[in-house]
Structures are given as C-alpha cells and as structure tokens.
Amino acid sequence: MHHYSCVKIAAGAVVCVESEIRGDVTIGPRTVVHPKARIIAEAGPIVIGEGNLIEEQALIINGYPENITPESVVEPKTMTIGMNNVFEVGCVSQALKIGDNNVIESKADVGRNVILTSGCIIGAFCQVNTCEVIPENTVIYGSGCMRRVQTEKPQPQTLQLDFLMKILPNYHHLKKTVKAGHNV
Amino acid sequence: MASLLQPDRVVYLVRGEKRIRTPLSQLYFCRYCSELRSLECVSHEVDSHYCPSCLENMPSAEAKLKKNRCANCFDCPCCMHTLSTRATNIPAPLPDDPTKTAMKKAYYLACGFCRWTSRDVGMADKSVASGGWQEPENPHTQRINKLIEYYQQLAHREKQDRDRKKLARRRQCMPLAFSEKYGLGTRLQRQRSGAPISSLSGLSLKEGEDQKEITIEPAQALDEVEPLPEDCYTRPISLPEVTTLRQRLLQPDFQPAGASQLHPRHKHLLMKRSLRCRKCEHNLSKPEFNPTSIKFKIQLVAVSYIPEVRIMSIPNLRNMKESQVLLTLTNPVENITHVTLAACEDEDPDDINSTAKIMVPSKELVLAGKDAAAEYDELAEPQDFQDDPDVVAFRKSNKIGFFIKVIPQKEEDADVTVSFKIRHDFRNLAAPARQNEEAGDVVAEAIWLTHHVELRLGPLAP
C-alpha cells in the first residue's frame, strides 16, 4: 500500500533532520523530535499532538500486524498520540491510541493492542503487550511489570521543551515546516 | 563479566567442618594454617555500620539506639528504592501581610522508580529539606519497651546467678586471680558478648537491691474479637489499593493492608564485616573503616595464593570416547611454582560427583612468576621452559594452557563432571623464616599443598 509520503510538521515544532520520518505523519506544534528518532507510518497514518517529547532512538511505528499473509487486505488504522507525552530514549511504541500526559520510559515496549489513557507511566524496560486499556494514572514498573496507581498525573515537561526548542536549532538543522494539505 | 568467565564451573573442595565446594574466587586462604577457608568456616564479626545511600558512618552504639536505621534517608514503602527529596514552589501568604503571596519552597519525598510520592499517603509537604519527616508512632511502643526492660533485668539477674555458681565451683581448683591472668575469663566472655566483665570481679550479694524492681502485668486474652465489616464479601476489591505481602511485612509494626497507609521508613544500615579463621584466630579479611573505600586492610583471598584452574575450550564430548579439554593454570604469586596433577584414585572419599574418567599430564608443570613489570620490560628474554607440546598448549607470562583427556562414562549425561588433585608448592612469607646465618637472606620454606578440584564440562554432544 503506498501512501503519500507527506510529513506535515506544524509551525512551532522542532524536528531534527537526522530523525527518520516515513509515511503519512502529522506533527503538532511545540513537539520536539530528537535526532535518530524514528516515526514510521507503514500501515496507516500517524497523528501526533502538541507538546510531545520524542527522544533519541525512540521508535513510533504504525506497522502491519505480524501474522498476515501478503494477499490479505489490512485496513489502514490511524495512530493517534495526544498532548504532552514523553517517549524516552530507545522506547518502542506501537500503541494505536495514546492519550495525554503519558510517559513511556527508556527501552520500554508498548504493543499494538494497548491503549494508553492519560497519566500512565510505562517504566523502563517494561514490555506491555497485553490487549487492554490501561486505566488513568497507572504506573507500570519493575521487572515483573508491577502496577500501581498514582494520585496525580506526571508533570508536563514544559521547562524541558522550552530549553530544547532553544538549544536544538543551534546544533541541528531542522525539517521544514509543512502545512497540512500540502504535498511534498 | 563473571557470567562470561563462568567461574562456577571449576570448584575447589574446602575441608572444614563441612565439605564445601565453591569456586576459588569465593574462598579465603589462611596462610597460618595453610588451608582454604570458605565463608562457612570462618567467624564473621561486625566492623562498622554505614548507610548505603548517604554513606554515613555510625558507631555501633548509636546504630543500636536508632534500631540500625539511617536518620536522613528513607525507603520507598512501595518498591524499597531510596526516596529523593523534591521541591516545588507554592504560593503562600507572607506572615506580615496576609494579602500578598510569595513563592515558598515546599518539599516532598518521591521515588524515582515507581513514582510514589509522600503526597500519596497524605503526608503534607514540609518546609525544610531534611529532618522534617517523621515515622508514624507505633501505638504499642510503651508496652513493648516495658516488656523489654523487664526481661533485660531478668536476664541480667540470671546471668549473675550463673556466674556466681561457676566461680564458686572453680574456686576449688584454682584461685580467682588465676582465671583472669591466664585469659580464661576472656574466652568465656567472648562467647557471651553481652556479659559485663565486672560481673566476675566485683561480686557482691547486695547488687540486686539497688536496681528497681520492674513488674509487668500479664497480657489479657480477649473473648470478643472485632467483627468483620458487613460488606466484606460483597465489596469489590480494588487491586491497586491492596498491599503486597512484601510491602506489608517490611513494616511489621503496622502491616497495613491498604496502600494509602504505607508510610516510608528510614533506610536500613549495612555493615562492614571482618572474617576470622576459627582455628588460628587470625584475621582473613578486614575492610577499611571508611564507607567510601572498597579496599581492605587485610585481604587473604584464595585467588592471590592458589593457582587457579580455568576451562578454556571443550570439544564435543562423546560417550566412551576420549576427547581433549584445554585448561589454563594461572600462577598468582611472584615466584616460580611447580604444579603436579593427579587423577583421583578409586574409592576416594572426596570424589563423589565425577561422571567421567580423566587422564592428566604426569609431568610436573612449571609456572612462571607473576611479574607486573614484564610488559614494559622489552629487553627481558623469554624464559625457556622446555615444554612438551603434547601437554602444554601455550605459555603466556604466568599462565599456561594444558590438555587433559576426558572419557565420559555415562550415557545421557547432562553435565560431565571430572575431578583431580592439584599439588603445588607454597612459600609462606607470613611465617617467620629461618634465617641463613652466613648469607643473611631470608629464604622461605616451601610446603606442598594439595587441593581437590572438580570441573563441570557441560552436556554430551548430541
């Protein structure tokens, strides 16, 4: 399935040239995408909201499910990512629906059938590939993926985002802003 | 790195009270008894207490008073990680002028691993960074303290009665002064570490009277127990609210069943210990006092005295077929060591695990000394050892590789085990050596030590 390879980057987003963005991806304002981050929209478009922080070697992929035959037709599903999420270094996210204020810590692996609501924290190196909706404010931590509920959502990383939006352009070239509805 | 070296495949036998088989890296060597010692045949003594997160040293008396917990650091009640103090700015009214608000710093405790905060259990933010946090009071503290005092007094009194009886008996064979002079008293005292030394010398019949008699009331058994709540069976369980057994038992005072009552506790202190050989009472391992230092004042570990055998390569092992296994032998000391290997005889009481026959080289192997400066010394000639190429595969400074022949005896063997004896010469530099009166230089006597080594070579090739 060939999609228009158009990447729509809103004004105010900082997307480094060294990041790899493929497919139909929309990035909202005030989002920072670090170099070596990979956002791959294979089996459908990806829509990323505003205020998100996608760190190095993070992989956000809307890929085909594993066990399909080449002839079967897979309907393209849109992957939606909300606001103020943090994708830390080296994480892999295939979740189709991510809400707001979530944190996916380093080297965590979120499967395709997981739906993150808001305020969830997936701890470092935790692999969550169940088929469920993670309730709000859940923290998944530890080698056994223990869970607990915290009383408040994690703070949005506004300070960090402001700092990065000032500093990253000094050291990296940025991808040009492309308004939605404009094919490159 | 330890898993890469696989040290647990080569075990040495320790002949202590128990026969223990452990890798050489976990053993100690008493150079006064010239024997290997493991952790189970030495006595452990506490050197000092320290907090693992702030590395603060604490004398033992203070540690006992604080129940072996640090005063500054806290543990997360949820995941037992160390809590860190975080600050937020909150607007607070100024004390002089209630209408204006200024930003004041408020501190709370937070865990970096499971994201637990002190606000989760309802602890208010404190205005000081450290020292403001209190552990909750145990409602039974008073009763427990009273019970402890009473039993301490009882134990003290019983100990005095026992001492009086013992001394009365010994007085018949030798006077009181002798026991103190020849140090018998100290041996007895060491075994009962709480006994005061003065109890032996200053005995009087009147001492029971000047201590206050403490009485306790016996515990009362209740007939009625608090009934379970009515909705006990019908109320749905909220799993995040239920504490795990581990979280509950870490706080034995309260053992809260609900996560909203889990309060943080002060961090446990760790201790530095020194090891002492039980036979000759010499110290085998004595760490430095400073908690930030990992060095040792005395470090008599086995790897620095005994040649170490390591498995280098194992070919495919087949049942009843001879294969050659390549082992390495490393010399830890600075002088030349001569090593002889011998297969275990039949009916050897130490040889219980081997499942294969082994043929070791019969010639004596010579190991060069460990020379730290050898790599920098370009003019040094390589020592010529006349190695038999059938036996010695390679030689590199203080290490040689040699072949042994293994014939697995059991079919369907999951782990082929072989054992042999290694005999080497050991120069004891600790013991006073006989001085050569004419030449004046000290030559240490060489004694021959024999160790039993077992190797686990893995499964047979399919």
Side-chain angles (χ1 to χ4, degrees):
Chain A
M1 277 261 207
H2 180 67
H3 303 273
Y4 291 115
S5 172
C6 49
V7 176
K8 305 177 201 82
I9 304 178
V14 173
V15 180
C16 297
V17 142
E18 291 90 346
S19 64
E20 179 188 334
I21 308 187
R22 276 196 272 142
D24 183 4
V25 177
T26 315
I27 299 183
R30 293 196 75 237
T31 297
V32 175
V33 179
H34 282 233
K36 295 298 180 196
R38 292 161 59 205
I39 308 177
I40 299 175
E42 254 181 3
I46 298 182
V47 177
I48 302 183
E50 44 173 88
N52 294 300
L53 177 57
I54 303 170
E55 294 189 357
E56 286 86 347
Q57 300 192 354
L59 171 61
I60 302 178
I61 178 165
N62 186 356
Y64 294 110
E66 281 171 7
N67 44 357
I68 51 162
T69 55
E71 294 93 36
S72 64
V73 176
V74 182
E75 223 186 80
K77 288 198 203 152
T78 313
M79 177 187 276
T80 356
I81 298 180
M83 301 189 346
N84 294 325
N85 297 301
V86 177
F87 294 84
E88 286 191 15
V89 175
C91 70
V92 175
S93 166
Q94 301 178 35
L96 280 178
K97 216 166 131 18
I98 298 183
D100 308 331
N101 292 309
N102 299 301
V103 176
I104 303 186
E105 285 187 7
S106 305
K107 295 218 173 186
D109 193 334
V110 183
R112 193 174 165 82
N113 297 315
V114 177
I115 297 181
L116 295 177
T117 45
S118 61
C120 303
I121 300 186
I122 314 281
F125 211 63
C126 289
Q127 282 145 13
V128 186
N129 40 21
T130 48
C131 211
E132 63 171 313
V133 176
I134 310 246
E136 291 197 6
N137 291 336
T138 309
V139 180
I140 299 182
Y141 65 97
S143 56
C145 285
M146 311 227 358
R147 298 191 182 191
R148 53 172 292 271
V149 177
Q150 52 176 10
T151 45
E152 50 190 30
K153 59 183 204 296
Q155 292 172 332
Q157 303 276 7
T158 30
L159 275 178
Q160 174 83 335
L161 282 171
D162 289 337
F163 176 74
L164 285 172
M165 292 205 287
K166 256 192 304 183
I167 294 283
L168 273 178
N170 292 343
Y171 297 94
H172 295 276
H173 293 290
L174 304 177
K175 289 202 178 166
K176 289 222 181 329
T177 309
V178 175
K179 290 237 172 41
H182 186 70
N183 278 354
V184 172
Chain B
M1 193 61 194
S3 57
L4 202 64
L5 292 173
Q6 294 182 322
D8 53 327
R9 284 202 164 184
V10 180
V11 290
Y12 284 65
L13 174 69
V14 178
R15 295 183 181 90
E17 296 154 3
K18 290 187 262 187
R19 307 218 141 213
I20 297 171
R21 287 168 165 77
T22 42
L24 196 68
S25 46
Q26 294 171 13
L27 291 175
Y28 296 86
F29 181 71
C30 180
R31 59 181 183 184
Y32 305 92
C33 311
S34 300
E35 273 175 23
L36 283 174
R37 297 263 178 258
S38 77
L39 275 179
E40 305 205 15
C41 28
V42 294
S43 53
H44 302 236
E45 296 162 0
V46 174
D47 241 9
S48 60
H49 298 271
Y50 68 98
C51 170
S53 72
C54 60
L55 291 179
E56 184 200 336
N57 215 330
M58 215 183 272
S60 308
E62 197 186 330
K64 210 169 165 186
L65 201 61
K66 297 215 181 119
K67 300 209 179 0
N68 285 341
R69 291 186 186 264
C70 177
N72 307 325
C73 309
F74 284 90
D75 267 346
C76 174
C78 192
C79 65
M80 297 94 203
H81 186 63
T82 313
L83 288 176
S84 47
T85 314
R86 299 227 183 113
T88 52
N89 280 324
I90 52 161
L94 278 176
D96 331 325
D97 197 351
T99 51
K100 289 203 203 125
T101 58
M103 301 306 276
K104 218 170 54 151
K105 273 202 171 345
Y107 299 93
Y108 62 98
L109 294 171
C111 172
F113 188 56
C114 68
R115 309 271 177 145
W116 180 92
T117 61
S118 55
R119 294 172 179 163
D120 285 353
V121 286
M123 287 169 75
D125 296 351
K126 302 278 185 277
S127 46
V128 277
S130 59
W133 304 100
Q134 302 291 336
E135 277 187 25
E137 260 296 306
N138 187 355
H140 305 293
T141 322
Q142 280 217 351
R143 167 94 176 139
I144 292 179
N145 283 343
K146 219 167 165 216
L147 283 172
I148 291 178
E149 267 179 35
Y150 173 72
Y151 281 111
Q152 262 177 356
Q153 201 192 43
L154 199 61
H156 188 70
R157 218 180 293 156
E158 283 183 4
K159 230 176 273 171
Q160 283 179 345
D161 289 340
R162 238 186 302 142
D163 290 345
R164 214 174 289 149
K165 269 189 233 148
K166 265 205 195 128
L167 264 162
R169 261 187 284 131
R170 233 191 294 126
R171 228 171 246 158
Q172 293 157 18
C173 29
M174 63 169 109
L176 177 61
F178 268 36
S179 65
E180 274 177 322
K181 190 169 163 189
Y182 286 106
L184 273 179
T186 49
R187 185 66 70 105
L188 271 177
Q189 272 145 34
R190 196 184 333 127
Q191 283 163 9
R192 297 167 302 150
S193 54
I197 298 181
S198 57
S199 72
L200 276 181
S201 48
L203 278 180
S204 67
L205 291 168
K206 276 195 272 183
E207 20 166 52
E209 290 172 23
D210 44 24
Q211 279 168 3
K212 213 171 27 159
E213 276 290 324
I214 302 180
T215 51
I216 48 165
E217 14 179 277
Q220 287 175 343
L222 293 172
D223 246 347
E224 269 185 26
V225 182
E226 211 181 275
L228 284 173
E230 278 184 7
D231 58 351
C232 180
Y233 292 108
T234 52
R235 187 179 36 167
I237 297 182
S238 143
L239 266 184
E241 178 64 16
V242 178
T243 51
T244 67
L245 262 186
R246 190 157 181 240
Q247 290 167 353
R248 215 179 283 191
L249 295 176
L250 270 181
Q251 312 206 0
D253 310 359
F254 305 99
Q255 296 185 26
S260 50
Q261 283 133 36
L262 277 177
H263 288 266
R265 296 209 68 179
H266 285 284
K267 206 164 181 63
H268 248 302
L269 298 176
L270 296 182
M271 64 173 187
K272 285 198 166 199
R273 63 178 171 185
S274 56
L275 302 171
R276 196 183 281 272
C277 173
R278 282 202 187 132
K279 288 203 189 123
C280 61
E281 306 288 341
H282 277 105
N283 254 329
L284 292 177
S285 158
K286 198 169 168 73
E288 283 205 9
F289 186 71
N290 194 357
T292 53
S293 160
I294 57 167
K295 297 201 180 143
F296 288 84
K297 285 186 203 156
I298 302 175
Q299 192 183 16
L300 297 179
V301 281
V303 279
S304 41
Y305 293 97
I306 311 282
E308 189 179 356
V309 176
R310 276 195 205 162
I311 302 176
M312 186 150 169
S313 76
I314 308 174
N316 281 333
L317 299 167
R318 295 194 198 283
N319 189 19
M320 296 304 188
K321 290 207 175 48
E322 191 183 275
S323 355
Q324 271 198 343
V325 176
L326 180 59
L327 304 179
T328 60
L329 198 59
T330 318
N331 180 16
V333 294
E334 283 166 354
N335 32 27
I336 295 184
T337 311
H338 306 270
V339 176
T340 323
L341 304 169
C344 290
E345 284 153 39
D346 299 338
E347 311 299 329
D348 191 352
D350 294 333
D351 188 11
I352 48 177
N353 284 334
S354 52
T355 58
K357 273 210 201 122
I358 183 173
M359 275 177 302
V360 289
S362 48
K363 277 202 265 191
E364 192 182 68
L365 302 164
V366 182
L367 295 171
K370 182 162 140 179
D371 193 1
E375 52 178 312
Y376 303 111
D377 195 1
E378 288 149 5
L379 298 171
E381 295 158 10
Q383 293 165 306
D384 196 11
F385 281 106
Q386 313 278 338
D387 291 326
D388 181 359
D390 283 337
V391 167
V392 175
F394 64 88
R395 179 179 288 271
K396 187 177 159 190
S397 63
N398 63 334
K399 180 158 64 161
I400 65 165
F402 63 99
F403 293 106
I404 58 168
K405 297 186 176 50
V406 172
I407 308 174
Q409 300 288 314
K410 257 187 5 183
E411 224 178 282
E412 308 285 336
D413 199 353
D415 202 1
V416 177
T417 316
V418 292
S419 47
F420 55 89
K421 302 256 191 275
I422 170 173
R423 186 167 174 265
H424 67 102
D425 58 342
F426 168 65
R427 278 186 176 72
N428 195 353
L429 298 166
R434 280 180 308 149
Q435 292 249 328
N436 196 339
E437 283 160 12
E438 295 160 9
D441 55 339
V442 180
V443 173
E445 285 275 309
I447 56 175
W448 290 87
L449 300 173
T450 311
H451 307 288
H452 177 93
V453 180
E454 283 180 15
L455 305 170
R456 287 188 8 232
L457 299 174
L460 291 172

